[in-house]
Amino acid sequence: MGDDAAGQGQDRQGRQRRRVRIRGRVQGVWFRGATQQRAQALGLAGWVRNCPDGSVEAVFEGPAGAVAAAVAFCGEGPPAARVERVEVCEETAEGLHEFVLRA
């Protein structure tokens, strides 16, 4: 298990992990696919999924700047999305190695 370095949720390799819940019109607008593409372009690991309550949940792991960029993207999403609120939780990195879509 990694250290929580300086309260930034970093592991010993300097990787951060953030769990994000996005609310609004975010399902049926290609939010998961766009999030996966952005995360992969940023070199992040993690996952994204639709939730039963109509929100989208994602986990991002990687360098702090890339994680921050992915979280910022979630505040906008793809063109058809209408993001109303983004909730971000800091977590300890687990050492994920790829970014995937979850059902």
Side-chain angles (χ1 to χ4, degrees):
M1 190 161 141
D3 293 334
D4 192 17
Q8 297 297 312
Q10 292 183 359
D11 65 8
R12 287 186 176 103
Q13 288 76 41
R15 294 170 51 92
Q16 288 189 342
R17 177 182 171 106
R18 298 291 181 269
R19 181 179 300 267
V20 181
R21 180 70 64 109
I22 306 101
R23 300 184 187 279
R25 189 172 67 142
V26 294
Q27 290 191 14
V29 295
W30 203 65
F31 204 102
R32 290 184 311 145
T35 300
Q36 181 185 36
Q37 281 189 347
R38 182 64 56 100
Q40 289 174 336
L42 291 166
L44 295 173
W47 51 264
V48 60
R49 68 178 175 187
N50 285 336
C51 297
D53 67 359
S55 66
V56 169
E57 183 179 31
V59 166
F60 303 109
E61 279 193 19
V67 170
V71 171
F73 170 78
C74 289
E76 299 175 17
R82 296 294 173 260
V83 176
E84 294 174 4
R85 188 169 78 234
V86 177
E87 302 159 6
V88 182
C89 295
E90 191 175 286
E91 298 181 346
T92 301
E94 295 179 357
L96 301 176
H97 298 289
E98 63 182 338
F99 197 93
V100 299
L101 295 177
R102 286 192 175 174

